[in-house]
Amino acid sequence: MPELTHRRRLLVLAICCMSLLIVSLDNTVLNVALPSMRRELDASVSGMQWTIDAYTVVLASLLMLAGSTADRLGRRRVFMTGLVLFTAGSVLCSLAPDLTALIAFRMVQAVGGCMLNPVAMSIITNTFTDPRERARAIGVWGGVVGISMAAGPLVGGVLTELVNWRAIFWINLPVGLAALVLTWRYVPESRAPKPRRVDPVGQILVMVLLGSLTFGIIEAPDAGFTSPLVVICAVLAAASLAGLLRYEPRRAEPLIDLRFFRSAPFSGATVIAVCSFAALGGFLFVNTLYLQEVRGLSALHAGLYMLPMAALTLVCAPLSGRLVGSRGPRLPLLVAGVALTASGVLFAALDAETSLPLLFTGYVLFGLGFGMVNAPITNTAVSGMPRAQAGVASAVASTSRQIGTTLGVAVIGAVLASGMASGGGAGGMDDFVAASRTAWWVLTGCGLAVLLVGAATSGAWARATAERTAARLGGPDQPGPVDAKAGRR
């Protein structure tokens, strides 16, 4: 790809961030609208879970395929195809007549969305060839993820209150069309020098693993954890995972290159992505039900209640990106882990729902933690990897985020449903607090995992494993290992 001017590179970064904005926003904007959708579509709690998880499961299942396909067929071409599908899917969602149609159209959205995030990251990696500029660009990218995820509840609340829940899908139309035109005009085409071949067996195993795992978790509270349906889902998930671990290392060009995970920072980024986004998915799901179903707030007021979380994420996401670019990922990861853990403890041990000062303190801490965590995930996932495999490496990081969100909504929803069913109460404040306590301990564990894994995979030993992995994976275009300052080589 020819060298671009600085202005052109910044424009390419802005276009990629536009696509990221709509895909990430769609992960969270739906949460505040769930009660309104539930009433209009006459849906159950598990039905509401599926409006979120149908999107994230499909997205997670196809991200790695989309990344490798873009490396082969052309990143600009696949990126534009994704914009068309995602925008069309958004329009269909806004017109959905019932819950089944909405879930189906959300899956159409996800097929388009899977072609955007990993491909955009690959475009950024290949556009910003200077290590320090690339680190800053990835920091901006990570900041946009945090901003869009945090703004979702507020945007969803405003649109649901002022128009209706269908309006949350309309905002994707102008952004998607603008990004499509700008991509056609300004983004140059690029491909991997040696693209990877399709791995249909690996792709099917990933889809079966994620689909069966999510289905089993969501349906377990109603069907029973020992029911034949749930047991079959568990067996399918375990068999698919075993198949991946056995089959993928034997392929010359696997869908998931397990050698990536020999890098401790890369493996750590994957685990941290799953845990932090599981915390986000569960946090938004349980708070949406609490604020609207228990406190009786409108969608707009529920979004305003979560404004402290959004505000801290808006401030901390770009700050984290700058810290990663100048000092490396360790400090942001440690701050994120401490803040997420402390937020969970406030709810799990001190019943923060019963006290507004504690409630808002918990929201502030969660916003601080989530705002700090995303930029180091993104930077660590792609730094040190050969640019020829940038699409696949960034797709693994994006997949980890979607898996985390999927599991967060599925697990927390299942735990909450089981707690409410076993409590037998009328659904008041005390019943909800008691039923949600286990869910909050799960989210506390996610924060603690971010802290411990972040500390273990961001030191000198971890960087040495990244250097060895980069040397094994490297070809003629290998960018080289990243040093402690996450940008200087």
Side-chain angles (χ1 to χ4, degrees):
M1 187 172 66
E3 185 70 22
L4 304 179
T5 64
H6 180 67
R7 183 171 177 271
R8 182 82 172 268
R9 290 197 299 273
L10 291 179
L11 187 57
V12 170
L13 175 61
I15 296 168
C16 292
C17 288
M18 289 171 66
S19 72
L20 175 66
L21 179 68
I22 54 177
V23 174
S24 298
L25 196 64
D26 244 60
N27 270 331
T28 57
V29 74
L30 203 63
N31 278 275
V32 174
L34 288 178
S36 298
M37 295 168 60
R38 183 179 178 183
R39 289 190 294 270
E40 181 176 330
L41 301 177
D42 192 26
S44 63
V45 173
S46 63
M48 291 297 93
Q49 286 175 272
W50 276 118
T51 62
I52 298 174
D53 277 351
Y55 176 83
T56 54
V57 166
V58 173
L59 204 60
S61 298
L62 298 178
L63 279 168
M64 284 177 284
L65 175 64
S68 58
T69 300
D71 286 343
R72 184 186 316 109
L73 300 182
R75 294 164 183 132
R76 177 174 175 265
R77 178 186 301 177
V78 172
F79 187 71
M80 292 179 67
T81 302
L83 286 170
V84 170
L85 282 174
F86 187 86
T87 305
S90 299
V91 173
L92 291 173
C93 286
S94 71
L95 303 174
D98 52 42
L99 181 64
T100 302
L102 177 61
I103 292 173
F105 295 150
R106 288 279 286 168
M107 295 171 74
V108 174
Q109 267 191 310
V111 173
C114 77
M115 303 180 191
L116 298 180
N117 282 8
V119 180
M121 175 54 68
S122 186
I123 290 172
I124 290 172
T125 304
N126 285 272
T127 298
F128 292 86
T129 55
D130 177 73
R132 291 187 63 82
E133 281 197 353
R134 188 187 307 129
R136 294 191 190 99
I138 292 173
V140 172
W141 169 268
V144 171
V145 174
I147 290 169
S148 58
M149 299 293 275
L154 182 59
V155 173
V158 170
L159 292 176
T160 302
E161 184 77 10
L162 299 183
V163 190
N164 59 42
W165 64 265
R166 298 178 186 273
I168 63 179
F169 297 106
W170 298 346
I171 57 176
N172 296 330
L173 184 59
V175 179
L177 291 177
L180 182 64
V181 172
L182 291 172
T183 302
W184 174 76
R185 177 68 179 83
Y186 293 107
V187 176
E189 185 61 281
S190 65
R191 295 178 177 84
K194 188 178 179 182
R196 300 155 62 86
R197 290 180 293 180
V198 176
D199 179 8
V201 174
Q203 182 62 59
I204 292 172
L205 288 172
V206 168
M207 295 176 70
V208 173
L209 169 61
L210 296 178
S212 58
L213 180 63
T214 305
F215 188 89
I217 293 173
I218 290 178
E219 298 300 326
D222 292 333
F225 287 90
T226 58
S227 66
L229 178 64
V230 174
V231 171
I232 289 172
C233 287
V235 171
L236 279 176
S240 300
L241 178 59
L244 279 170
L245 295 177
R246 182 175 177 80
Y247 176 77
E248 291 297 282
R250 300 185 177 191
R251 280 186 58 87
E253 296 180 347
L255 177 70
I256 306 173
D257 194 334
L258 299 181
R259 293 179 300 169
F260 285 179
F261 295 95
R262 295 175 182 174
S263 164
F266 183 87
S267 298
T270 302
V271 173
I272 292 168
V274 171
C275 292
S276 59
F277 277 74
L280 177 69
F283 180 91
L284 293 178
F285 190 82
V286 71
N287 271 289
T288 294
L289 294 179
Y290 162 71
L291 293 173
Q292 296 191 53
E293 300 289 340
V294 178
R295 281 193 173 267
L297 300 178
S298 66
L300 175 58
H301 286 98
L304 290 174
Y305 258 63
M306 285 190 275
L307 187 59
M309 182 203 76
L312 263 293
T313 305
L314 286 170
V315 171
C316 293
L319 172 62
S320 176
R322 288 195 293 271
L323 284 173
V324 170
S326 61
R327 300 187 58 181
R330 187 176 182 83
L331 178 60
L333 286 176
L334 296 181
V335 172
V338 170
L340 291 173
T341 303
S343 175
V345 169
L346 282 180
F347 289 94
L350 302 179
D351 296 339
E353 302 99 317
T354 61
S355 166
L356 283 181
L358 284 179
L359 180 73
F360 289 127
T361 301
Y363 288 174
V364 166
L365 286 171
F366 192 91
L368 168 63
F370 187 76
M372 296 298 288
V373 79
N374 199 57
I377 291 172
T378 308
N379 181 275
T380 305
V382 300
S383 293
M385 294 295 174
R387 283 193 295 273
Q389 300 189 48
V392 178
S394 60
V396 173
S398 297
T399 299
S400 301
R401 293 186 180 93
Q402 302 307 325
I403 291 173
T405 303
T406 301
L407 292 179
V409 173
V411 171
I412 296 304
V415 169
L416 192 59
S418 297
M420 293 297 290
S422 62
M429 174 75 76
D430 292 340
D431 293 326
F432 186 89
V433 170
S436 63
R437 190 168 290 118
T438 301
W440 283 114
W441 280 120
V442 172
L443 297 181
T444 301
C446 290
L448 189 60
V450 171
L451 175 61
L452 297 178
V453 176
T457 60
S458 58
W461 164 80
R463 289 194 297 274
T465 67
E467 292 175 7
R468 290 194 297 269
T469 301
R472 293 190 187 101
L473 293 171
D477 63 342
Q478 180 189 335
V482 178
D483 73 3
K485 298 303 182 184
R488 295 198 293 268
R489 297 187 190 279

